[in-house]
Amino acid sequence: LDLNNLAGWSAFPAFVGLALIAEPAIGVLLGKEWRAAGLTLSILCIFGAMTALTSIQEAYVLAVDRVGAFVRASAFEAAIGIVIVALASRYGPAAAAIGVVVRSLMTLPLRVNAALAPERIAPSRLINALAAPTLAAGGMAVPVALWRIAVLGRVPDIIFLVSAVSIGAATVGLFLFGFMPDALTRLRSFLQPSAEGSMVESPPGG
């Protein structure tokens, strides 16, 4: 659960933020003729956030050698995904991206259950572990979306991107440091052991 919480903090704000700035970001990186791809990228950010969680869960079931249910869920996802994405792609790249998201949402409960079952972890505990990063990501989305409405197209894209990223990072920081001290303590617990380990391994004066 701690790793899922860490994955949530790493992925949810990042993918929500990317979804909100995808169009101008692609315009800056690839050129204005590619801006239309921003909608497809925004949709795929939902898939990216889910993949961040399932990747952690897949690594766990591999580590404990309980891969059977997870493999079955992956096979089911692949089977229905071929059909869904094939049908959706007839209507364009954005529709294909929606198909990818729908496929992942349909099989997400199977994957999650396969990861939680070996330790008999209740789904409600996973929901609690993901509540804080989900709330922070949602809270970040509001000011960034309002900023997008207010200034996008009125200032150069690079200025919008820098300001939007700054607003998003500041908002997540405010949630984390100001309103979620327990979540901050948990995140620090992941970093502290590695810091202590580096101090032990470094030779004196080296």
Side-chain angles (χ1 to χ4, degrees), residues 59-205:
Y60 168 74
V61 296
L62 287 171
V64 299
D65 196 22
R66 302 283 184 87
V67 298
F70 207 89
V71 169
R72 288 192 292 271
S74 298
F76 177 68
E77 179 178 4
I80 66 170
I82 293 173
V83 177
I84 293 174
V85 175
L87 292 174
S89 62
R90 299 169 58 187
Y91 301 96
I98 293 174
V100 171
V101 173
V102 170
R103 178 205 67 184
S104 298
L105 285 172
M106 289 177 64
T107 58
L108 183 63
L110 298 176
R111 286 175 168 266
V112 169
N113 183 67
L116 298 181
E119 299 296 333
R120 299 181 181 178
I121 299 173
S124 60
R125 293 181 59 193
L126 177 62
I127 294 173
N128 289 336
L130 298 177
T134 301
L135 179 60
M140 177 208 70
V142 174
V144 174
L146 292 175
W147 183 245
R148 175 191 171 100
I149 294 170
V151 306
L152 184 60
R154 297 180 175 87
V155 299
D157 284 346
I158 188 65
I159 294 178
F160 166 74
L161 290 173
V162 172
S163 59
V165 171
S166 300
I167 292 171
T171 305
V172 172
L174 178 63
F175 271 89
L176 189 56
F177 288 91
F179 304 116
M180 299 176 176
D182 292 340
L184 179 60
T185 300
R186 178 176 295 179
L187 290 175
R188 282 175 172 171
S189 70
F190 284 102
L191 303 177
Q192 191 65 31
S194 61
E196 291 175 352
S198 63
M199 293 174 61
V200 171
E201 293 173 4
S202 300

Side-chain angles (χ1 to χ4, degrees), residues 1-12 49-50 52-54 57 108 112 123-137 180 186:
L1 291 178
D2 285 344
L3 288 177
N4 281 278
N5 178 264
L6 181 62
W9 277 109
S10 302
F12 291 179
M50 289 188 291
L53 288 182
T54 57
Q57 294 164 354
L108 183 63
V112 169
S124 60
R125 293 181 59 193
L126 177 62
I127 294 173
N128 289 336
L130 298 177
T134 301
L135 179 60
M180 299 176 176
R186 178 176 295 179

